[in-house]
Amino acid sequence: MCVVDAAAKEAAVGRFLQQYPQVSAAEGDHPGLRGCAEVLWSAIPGCPAGIPSLFYGLLDQVAAPEAARVLTNVLMDGVFHLSAAMPAALPFLLRLAADPDVPVRTELLDLVMITVELSQPVDGDDERAVLLLGSDSDHPERERCRRVLSDHASLLRMLPDGTLTQASR
């Protein structure tokens, strides 16, 4: 399985900040990002400290597409695995995805949908699913994401109908 390691994630955030230095100085005054800078991102295993800059970059018309790409890679540990940072990032993703003025809203909705799907419990009796996705006991981020989704049900109602239908399963 291909897993993106912490050093690669840190390097990707560094390259993003070199390419878009204006976002590191962003104030982050969007209501959806309140509290983002206060999260101890670097204390989360495998998580780069620069995640707030990626979130601020989502609001910058020029940087937004690259910020969404890098943030997605940071929040995923591979094709079928969420990173340990996803539960902390999910409230901010939901708030931004609920805002139709966010330049990369569609990309954020896609990431929310992937998160919803990958947060589902895995049937321990299904050997193929366990082989592909791992057991729930090895991936506590799934339960944490389900809790965040439940806690933010009001935001889910603000998402387009197709997203809400999938997320409420």
Side-chain angles (χ1 to χ4, degrees), residues 142-161:
R142 291 181 191 148
E143 170 58 30
R144 291 183 191 129
C145 284
R146 288 193 302 269
R147 207 170 319 131
V148 170
L149 290 165
S150 176
D151 291 347
H152 291 82
S154 63
L155 285 174
L156 289 172
R157 287 195 267 308
M158 296 173 69
L159 301 179
D161 289 339

Side-chain angles (χ1 to χ4, degrees), residues 37-79:
E38 286 75 41
V39 174
L40 297 175
W41 297 103
S42 61
I44 300 171
C47 182
I51 282 190
S53 294
L54 295 175
F55 275 111
Y56 303 147
L58 296 172
L59 303 172
D60 182 287
Q61 290 289 342
V62 174
E66 183 65 5
R69 186 189 71 76
V70 174
L71 184 63
T72 297
N73 290 338
V74 165
L75 295 177
M76 301 293 294
D77 275 348
V79 177

Side-chain angles (χ1 to χ4, degrees), residues 16 22-23 26-34 52-65 67-68 92 95-97 99 101-105 108:
F16 172 79
Q22 73 274 16
V23 301
E27 301 234 350
D29 60 354
H30 189 283
L33 294 179
R34 285 195 190 115
S53 294
L54 295 175
F55 275 111
Y56 303 147
L58 296 172
L59 303 172
D60 182 287
Q61 290 289 342
V62 174
F92 305 110
R95 290 181 205 132
L96 292 178
D99 182 347
D101 294 328
V102 171
V104 288
R105 182 181 192 215
L108 298 182

Side-chain angles (χ1 to χ4, degrees), residues 129-141:
V130 172
L131 183 62
L132 184 65
L133 302 169
S135 68
D136 285 344
S137 62
D138 292 336
H139 294 280
E141 68 278 359

Side-chain angles (χ1 to χ4, degrees), residues 111-127:
L111 184 53
V112 167
M113 287 311 307
I114 290 167
T115 302
V116 167
E117 287 300 318
L118 293 178
S119 295
Q120 299 304 309
V122 172
D123 179 358
D125 294 331
D126 183 342
E127 290 181 34

